[in-house]
Amino acid sequence: MTSEVVDKYPSRGNASVRLIPRVDPVVYAPPPVSLLQYITAEQVAQYERDGFLVLPEVFSAEEVASFQEELDLLRNDATLRSSDGVITEPGSGDVRSVFSVHTISPLFQRLAADARLAEVARGLLDDEVYIHQSRLNYKPGFRGKEFYWHSDFETWHVEDGMPSMRALSMSITLTENNPYNGALMLMPGSHKSYAVCSGETPDEHYKASLKKQDYGVPEDELLTELQARHGLVGAIAKPGSVIIFDCNVMHGSNSNITPDPRSNVFFVYNAISNRVVEPFCHKPARPEFLGSRKHIERLVPETVE
Ligand code: 6CS
Ligand code: FE
C-alpha cells in the first residue's frame, strides 16, 4: 500500500472555490541569535504578520553591477535562448524569464547560497533548505507583461507536489522597482488564507502559464475579499534590495510600459523536510527547471569575504 501524502490544500478540479485557513506556521522557530546579523526580531515579526518583508540595499553597487552583467549575458545567450527554460513575452520576442539560473550560472549559484539569503531562509523555515526553483524575471521596458494575481504555493502544491507551506521566495532587485515599472504588489496578511482555485489543470500547463497564467488564478470574488481584508502594497525598492515573500502570499505585478526594466532574480527556498512528492493534480511532474525533484541538495550557506 503506497503511503499517499495527505492533500492539505486541495485546489482546482472538484475542490470548492473558497478561502480556507492556512494550517502551517509562517515562521517555524524564533530567530536564532546567529540570524540577527541579517534580520532583526522586529523584521521577523513583520514577516510573520504580513507574509513579506523588504530588506533595503543588502547588496553593494559593485555586486549589483556583476548581477546585471550576468543578466545581460544570459538574455543574449543564443544557445540558452532556444532552451525550454527561457520564456519570451506574449506578443514579442523579448525575454520574460530565464529559469534555473542557479544551475546554469556559477555567479547565481553562489548568490543562492549567499548567507545573507540562505541563512535567513534556514532560520525562518527552521530546517535545511534547497532551491526548489530559481529564475530571472526581466519585466523589460515597454513590453514586459503582467504576472496576474496568484499564490505561488497553489501552483507548487498542485503542479509540483509541494506538501506544505514551508517555502519562501527571495527576490533580489537588479533594477529600480518603482510604482510605475511593474513592481511586485502583495496583499499583506493574505498568506494566512489559501485561495482554492477552479478549473482543471491542462496537460503541460507550464507551456502557457509561464507566459500568461489562466489556471491557479483565484476567482474575482476571492481576490476582492482578500484585498478588502488586507489591502495592497507595492514592494518599492532600490537595486540590491531583497524582497522575502512567503510561498502563499497573494501577489502579482502590472505590465511595464515605462522605458525602465524591472529585473529581479528569484530564489525559492524549500525546507528539506518539505521536498516535493507526486503532483496533487495527479498529472506528470513539471520539468526539473521549474521544480527540483531529481537534484535536491542541502544548501551550504557561504559568507562573502
Ligand atoms: O509556475 C511557477 O512556478 C511560476 N509562476 C509564477 C507566476 N510565480 C511563481 C513561479 O515563478
Ligand atoms: Fe509568483
Side-chain angles (χ1 to χ4, degrees):
M1 147 89 154
T2 54
S3 59
E4 279 288 299
V5 176
V6 171
D7 184 350
K8 300 193 297 190
Y9 297 104
S11 183
R12 308 184 207 179
N14 51 19
S16 57
V17 169
R18 66 204 194 290
L19 295 176
I20 61 173
R22 174 189 190 121
V23 294
D24 294 309
V26 177
V27 175
Y28 279 75
V33 171
S34 59
L35 205 60
L36 301 182
Q37 60 188 303
Y38 303 113
I39 186 171
T40 65
E42 294 71 26
Q43 287 173 318
V44 171
Q46 183 184 326
Y47 172 77
E48 197 286 333
R49 182 194 66 205
D50 295 343
F52 69 94
L53 181 70
V54 178
L55 299 176
E57 299 176 89
V58 170
F59 295 94
S60 68
E62 294 72 28
E63 289 174 308
V64 171
S66 69
F67 304 155
Q68 287 173 336
E69 202 179 319
E70 188 78 350
L71 171 136
D72 288 334
L73 277 174
L74 292 172
R75 177 178 30 214
N76 301 323
D77 182 321
T79 315
L80 188 62
R81 174 70 76 99
S82 59
S83 72
D84 289 345
V86 175
I87 312 298
T88 53
E89 289 290 353
S92 78
D94 291 33
V95 175
R96 177 175 172 88
S97 303
V98 174
F99 280 88
S100 202
V101 291
H102 71 290
T103 65
I104 58 177
S105 156
L107 183 144
F108 285 132
Q109 182 179 26
R110 282 193 305 278
L111 179 57
D114 190 301
R116 290 168 284 184
L117 305 176
E119 277 297 1
V120 176
R122 289 172 81 224
L124 294 174
L125 301 175
D126 190 31
D127 198 352
E128 296 303 332
V129 293
Y130 73 94
I131 299 294
H132 168 68
Q133 180 185 106
S134 69
R135 65 195 182 278
L136 272 167
N137 278 350
Y138 284 82
K139 190 67 79 85
F142 303 115
R143 287 171 295 279
K145 295 295 179 223
E146 78 277 2
F147 287 84
Y148 195 74
W149 291 111
H150 63 282
S151 151
D152 291 337
F153 177 76
E154 195 276 349
T155 292
W156 297 339
H157 179 74
V158 170
E159 299 190 49
D160 294 338
M162 186 183 282
S164 299
M165 296 179 182
R166 194 167 185 173
L168 57 83
S169 291
M170 295 215 182
S171 172
I172 298 86
T173 56
L174 306 184
T175 63
E176 291 276 340
N177 282 221
N178 66 48
Y180 315 106
N181 69 343
L184 211 55
M185 299 185 298
L186 307 107
M187 297 187 186
S190 59
H191 60 309
K192 298 201 176 171
S193 304
Y194 180 67
V196 178
C197 297
S198 60
E200 282 296 338
T201 307
D203 293 344
E204 298 190 313
H205 179 220
Y206 67 93
K207 291 189 172 173
S209 68
L210 299 177
K211 278 181 181 288
K212 186 175 178 303
Q213 187 173 358
D214 291 324
Y215 293 87
V217 167
E219 303 292 318
D220 294 358
E221 60 264 26
L222 297 191
L223 291 168
T224 305
E225 172 61 24
L226 283 173
Q227 181 180 263
R229 288 187 198 175
H230 304 295
L232 213 172
V233 168
I236 308 308
K238 293 263 180 239
S241 304
V242 180
I243 307 164
I244 311 175
F245 58 106
D246 175 81
C247 59
N248 186 49
V249 72
M250 194 58 65
H251 66 286
S253 58
N254 286 323
S255 293
N256 179 13
I257 58 171
T258 74
D260 309 318
R262 189 237 65 191
S263 303
N264 293 7
V265 61
F266 294 72
F267 299 110
V268 180
Y269 295 88
N270 190 24
I272 281 275
S273 58
N274 192 41
R275 65 181 58 216
V276 294
V277 296
E278 285 311 302
F280 288 93
C281 61
H282 306 297
K283 289 194 181 258
R286 300 199 299 174
E288 192 76 15
F289 72 80
L290 278 177
S292 301
R293 181 174 298 274
K294 298 189 207 74
H295 309 293
I296 289 184
E297 285 140 28
R298 177 177 79 85
L299 261 187
V300 180
E302 294 162 10
T303 46
V304 173
E305 299 313 318

